[in-house]
Amino acid sequence: MKRRGRRRSGFALVGGLLLAALAALFFVGDGDGGSGGGDGGPDLTDEQALVFGRVLDAKTKKPIAGAVVLIKQGDEPITATADKQGRYRAVVTVTSPFAFETRAKGYMGTAAGAVGGLCGRERFELNLSPVPAGTREAPPAPLFLSGKCPVR
């Protein structure tokens, strides 16, 4: 009987840790005044939005310079490379949702996620935290996020 109780509490602990890790690994804001926007970014048209943020180590919260954020939208994928502070930014079109993933040497790639519902000229903050390779933690589950506009 005691074994079942320990097993259940172990599953509850793992489930709770997984949910906490997901919340900590992916902070998503609306881009209003958040870090990473820097100088306000490029001039955008009514058909474009700016996606920006930081790529930080999930354990140490230190920036991952050189991490690549791969944005899959349409025929040509967009790549954004993180600078020394882990900041990246990319211009996307708002006419269709996009998928994203993060790749960095020494880290497990993040599971692909998707963003839709961005408005023209919107600035969308998406901070990502890959898990170091060789850890026992599983990469986070895919995310499906939405901006301020209804999905078209």
Side-chain angles (χ1 to χ4, degrees):
M1 287 291 213
K2 288 185 178 183
R3 291 181 96 164
R4 278 191 185 163
R6 285 184 188 157
R7 191 174 296 161
R8 283 186 190 151
S9 64
F11 285 125
L13 177 64
V14 169
L17 288 173
L18 181 59
L19 288 175
L22 286 174
L25 292 177
F26 292 92
F27 169 78
V28 179
D30 64 7
D32 294 334
S35 66
D39 60 3
D43 291 330
L44 301 170
T45 70
D46 289 338
E47 296 295 316
Q48 295 176 321
L50 178 69
V51 177
F52 69 96
R54 294 185 75 193
V55 182
L56 304 172
D57 182 292
K59 291 190 172 288
T60 67
K61 304 301 181 214
K62 291 184 180 179
I64 304 174
V68 174
V69 178
L70 180 63
I71 299 171
K72 301 172 188 171
Q73 184 179 45
D75 295 333
E76 293 293 320
I78 302 165
T79 58
T81 304
D83 66 12
K84 291 179 186 176
Q85 290 80 37
R87 293 184 306 235
Y88 76 93
R89 65 184 185 178
V91 175
V92 297
T93 61
V94 297
T95 55
S96 64
F98 63 88
F100 65 90
E101 63 183 88
T102 306
R103 296 178 183 167
K105 186 176 182 178
Y107 292 85
M108 290 188 266
T110 58
V115 177
L118 296 181
C119 302
R121 302 179 193 274
E122 183 175 352
R123 284 162 166 70
F124 190 83
E125 184 173 359
L126 178 61
N127 295 318
L128 303 162
S129 294
V131 176
T135 63
R136 293 181 180 233
E137 295 179 41
L143 290 177
F144 302 95
L145 310 167
S146 183
K148 297 176 183 177
C149 289
V151 178
R152 299 169 192 195

